[in-house]
Amino acid sequence: MIDILLYIVLPYLAVLICIIGSIYRIRKEPMTYSALSSQFLEARGLMWGSLPWHIGISLILIGHILPFLFPGQWNALLSNHAMLLAVEGLGYGLSALCLLGLVVLGARRLISSRIQSVTTTMDLVILLLLLFQVVLGMLTAMRAQYGSMWCTGTTVPYLWSLVTLNPDLSYINDLPHAMKAHIVGAWILVLLIPFSRLIHMFSVPISYLTRPPQNVIWANPRHQKEKAEVFARDEARRHFIKASCGVFGGLVLLSVGALDKIGQFFFGPRLSFSEETELMESKLKRLELTAEQRKLEVERRENEFILVAALKDLDREEGKYFIDYQMQPAIAFKNEAGLPQLISAKCTHLGCTVGNKADKEGRILCPCHVSYFDIKTGTPNQGAPAEAPLPILGWVVLNSKGEVLASRSKTGEINGTIATQDAETAQVFIRRADVTG
Amino acid sequence: MVETQKVDSTEPETGNASTGDTKPALFSFLLERFPIEKMNFHYMVEKKEVPVHRMSWGYYTGGLTFFFFMIQVVTGLFLLFYYQPTVSDAFLSVEYINNHVSAGPLIRNMHAWSSSAMIFFATVHLIVAFAMKSFEKPREITWIVGVLLLFITFTFGFTGYLLPWNQIAVNATKVGLQSIDNLGQYLGPFSHIPVQLRETFQGEASVGQSTLGRFYAMHVVILPLALVALLGLHLFQVQLHGMSKGVDEKTKKTEKFFTAFFFKDLEVWAYAFLALFVLASCIPFESFLPFPLLEPYNALGATPPGIKPEWYFFFVYYPLEMFNFLFIIIASTIVVAILFLTPWIFKGTSRRNLRFIALAVSAYLIVMTIFGEQIYHWWKH
């Protein structure tokens, strides 16, 4: 019985009285339809009380209304754990802000002698009720965790049942007492709106943000000078409010999207056994490759002869890459006479590595800027970006005993021949003498 | 002449400094650029006004460049957590960032996008500052330091490009450094010097571990330190001398630097961040390259086809492909000299004519950057 009174009769009664009473007061006493500002009596305390309170309570109320209006979307949003924590954390922070504001506002009403003279009993009642509401809300949030989550299954359907005139108390029967008191307190506050300063919530000057700038023209020349400054300050303030809203919204979005990722960034990845193994193996492979290349370099610095390939492995169409004495790529082909043909693979244009497959005309292609080089002479084709020919390298062919069978000097003259019985075992080398001269 | 008189009338302080005939020329020059009496919070922040006119948007370009630099610092520090600057590990560590680190691809992507944005806005800032004649006395030092900052920014791009140590990066770096060698043919008896210079720069005969180490040190320590130091001087000068007036005609309206302009600047940054974040989370920077991260560098592998430097080098890369090397060297030397001497060369030029030059230069940069490849092919056939 008492439940029906508190959670069904009281809400309807409160909303009814609120609507009728507010309309009556706005019509009959339009001059009182505000918060009766006391700013000119006391400004410092007001700033430290009113600002935190209003910033906190506006956002908290938005947090109450959103799940009521869009329960499905709200649930979906909070299914992201980071988002849930963000909303809850924000809720705690804003409640604390409200609390701070209320305490300052209350103290101000009670201590400042100037303010006391304009304070009505109703003002104090409202302050006390609001204080109770905030404390009860925080208690609920602490005792029954994740209220932002469970509200869509309890209070939201309860409210909707009231709105659809089909009241159903089963949704809120099992809620903790603090929460139930929070609900009752809310209805009492709604009820008191037309009889208190709370009515000022209907006169929030939202149009302030969008209306065109007002430039007050003073008849008194004394104010002329200040005018521009005041105007600029007013403009800057409006701009600041709007920008702060934007930045706040942006930060919320950013934290939803990125903060947990960034947290994980610092936490660091934890690789699985197979991932870690794979990573380590590829690291080893890369290290081997690097070491090999390093060896090639030092080998070239120290040795007079460098092995290119076995003569039998050389081909006329597909060249074999090797590294010459300057640590530059070069390609080894075999020519018609069965002798090696060694050509630099570093394009004379911009230093790209030239391809190793000869086309029908016996040319190799630099893929970067399309230059064709003749394998025999190294000369580029007409109109190619490369102007200078690729250098033809000298070589020596040694048999298995290390005797020189044939060689090509730097100047291009070829000495010696390779007998067919040696061709199987012969190996092709480059000489440092051909480079340094 | 009319121009300088106008400036003198708006800057009475400069007159005081030049009357000291007994002081040496250099001393009075410095005194005009570093007026000690103005070095206080009141003058440099509270009193500063920003002119409002049709070129006012130009005042935001420098701030945007600075903003993207800050993004580079933050994302760069993030990357530093996981990147390993060795020939064998560099590529794998970048791959690790991409595949395993939470938000790794996003951070890397932001770093890449923001680098391009920083270079873009630095260039725009230079051109706009030129068109607005912001190098006018006593702002010569601001201009010269700004040009140096632009060069540092380009060097950032060049050194950072190598760090992932993939096939394309190493080859492109080789090509870039190799062009130093080409200088040798014009130096006669000193023809060996460019090669020696390049090898000193590389730390070895070819681009290898020593090069990576040097580029890494430059990219993460030397260049940032240099940039921050010069940027400090640049901003100090900007605050000290105030915004240049930007247009020839007299401006009627100004706004306070603090807070009006400052907050507008922050607002522009917020939009820039939004754009950058959306870009970086939606479009991988590499999707514009014909070659993604690809494969790690392999000395014996062929250069990937279609190798090109980053877009911001196109304006010099395509001419380099089309024209004689000596011509390019001489032309770019002249351009650099003009850039550094701008405050003295264009001392008497009206802003209308400066705007014309700036437009012509922008047209060249835009056309060469967007249509460079087509022009190159057209030229070759």
Side-chain angles (χ1 to χ4, degrees), chain A residues 315-335:
Chain A
D315 188 72
R316 288 182 62 178
E317 267 97 46
E318 189 172 342
K320 222 172 142 41
Y321 279 115
F322 67 96
I323 302 285
D324 70 9
Y325 264 101
Q326 270 106 16
M327 278 309 285
Q328 309 286 2
I331 311 176
F333 288 95
K334 195 187 267 181
N335 65 12

Side-chain angles (χ1 to χ4, degrees), chain A residues 239 261 265 350 353 369, chain B residues 82 102 204 267 303 317 321:
Chain A
H239 204 89
K261 294 258 186 312
F265 180 95
L350 289 175
T353 304
H369 308 94
Chain B
Y82 294 105
S102 162
E204 50 195 313
E267 203 179 326
T303 315
Y317 169 74
E321 297 277 281

Side-chain angles (χ1 to χ4, degrees), chain A residues 239 261 264-266 268-269 271 283 286-287 290 293-294 297 321 323 346 349-350 352-353 367-369, chain B residues 78 81-82 84 87-88 92 96 100-103 165 175 178 204 267 277 296-297 299-300 303 307 317 321:
Chain A
H239 204 89
K261 294 258 186 312
Q264 283 295 314
F265 180 95
F266 290 116
L271 296 196
K283 276 199 172 193
R286 285 289 299 162
L287 193 63
T290 313
Q293 207 181 330
R294 201 73 206 165
E297 265 179 70
Y321 279 115
I323 302 285
K346 187 188 152 203
H349 176 219
L350 289 175
C352 296
T353 304
C368 295
H369 308 94
Chain B
F78 272 52
F81 277 37
Y82 294 105
Q84 296 163 334
V87 163
S88 54
L92 283 169
Y96 181 81
H100 298 299
V101 176
S102 162
W165 204 255
V175 175
Q178 222 93 61
E204 50 195 313
E267 203 179 326
F277 193 81
Y297 174 63
L300 297 184
T303 315
I307 177 174
Y317 169 74
E321 297 277 281

